[in-house]
Amino acid sequence: ATPVERAFAARTLLLSNPAEPQTLDPHLVSAATEFDLVVAFFEGLCVLDERTAQPQPAAAERWEVSADGLTYTFHLRAGLRWSDGSPLTAADFVASWRRALSPALAAEYAYLLYPLQNAEAINQGRETDVTRLGAEALDDRTLRVRLERPTPYLPALTALPVWMPVPVAALARHGAVDERGTD
C-alpha cells in the first residue's frame, strides 16, 4: 500500500505545509501557511464553498436573520465534540470570541469580530464587561448574535479563524486564557 493508502486506512490526515507554523491558535494565526492548518483542525459556524465562496453550514447546521439584519440565531449541529470527547457548545463560541477580543491577547485579526455589538469597544479596552458582547448562548446548541449594524456577509466571516472556537477551559489549565503561548 502507498503512504496515502496507509494514512487513509489509519484515518490519518496528511497535510503538506511549506513552512513551520508560528502558532496553531486560530485567534493568533497570521500567515497563509498557518491558516491552511487551522482550517483543517478547527471548524467555524460556517465554511466557504471552494467553488462559489458562499458560506455553507459547518458547526452551525442552519441560521436565521432578523428582519432588521441585526440579530442572527445559529443552530449548532448535534454531537459536536472537542478532540478530547467533551461537548462543543454555543457557550464555547461565546467564550472564544471574548478571548479573541481581549486587549491582552492582542489578536491581529480581532477587528473581524467588530460586527458584533460592543466588540470594538471590548477589543480597544473601552468596555471591560465582556458580557456586553453581542453574543449569547441560549442553550448548548443555540447561539444568538447581535450586531452593531446589518452585516449581510456575517455567515462568511464566521468561516475565518478568529471566529473559530478554541477550548477555553483547556487553555485556562495552562495559564491565562488571554495569554499568548497557551496553545
Side-chain angles (χ1 to χ4, degrees):
T2 68
V4 171
E5 291 168 332
R6 286 192 303 274
F8 183 79
R11 300 181 53 99
T12 300
L13 176 64
L14 297 177
L15 293 173
S16 174
N17 203 48
E20 189 66 26
Q22 295 297 308
T23 183
L24 293 177
D25 184 330
H27 300 158
L28 299 177
V29 296
S30 61
T33 52
E34 296 166 347
F35 179 86
D36 291 342
L37 294 171
V38 165
V39 298
F41 300 148
F42 294 86
E43 183 174 69
L45 293 169
C46 294
V47 65
L48 297 179
D49 182 283
E50 291 182 13
R51 286 187 217 104
T52 66
Q54 294 301 306
Q56 300 297 315
E61 62 185 3
R62 62 186 170 82
W63 57 90
E64 295 99 31
V65 185
S66 63
D68 64 4
L70 293 175
T71 303
Y72 282 70
T73 304
F74 291 92
H75 302 276
L76 302 184
R77 289 191 338 256
L80 293 176
R81 301 238 173 247
W82 291 107
S83 59
D84 68 359
S86 63
L88 190 157
T89 68
D92 292 316
F93 282 90
V94 175
S96 294
W97 298 341
R98 289 175 179 171
R99 173 190 186 258
L101 289 165
S102 167
L105 188 65
E108 184 175 352
Y109 292 106
Y111 71 90
L112 293 171
L113 292 160
Y114 284 8
L116 295 174
Q117 193 174 61
N118 296 312
E120 184 174 8
I122 290 168
N123 186 235
Q124 294 178 358
R126 296 189 321 266
E127 174 60 69
T128 58
D129 181 359
V130 296
T131 65
R132 298 209 52 224
L133 180 65
E136 71 177 307
L138 302 180
D139 58 42
D140 284 350
R141 292 188 49 211
T142 311
L143 178 63
R144 180 183 300 147
V145 173
R146 293 179 318 283
L147 306 180
E148 290 284 351
R149 63 196 61 78
T151 309
Y153 53 89
L154 183 82
L157 284 177
T158 70
L160 299 175
V162 75
W163 284 83
M164 294 176 177
V166 296
V168 173
L171 292 175
R173 290 192 297 270
H174 299 285
V177 169
D178 59 2
E179 180 181 312
R180 287 176 176 250
T182 56
D183 61 334

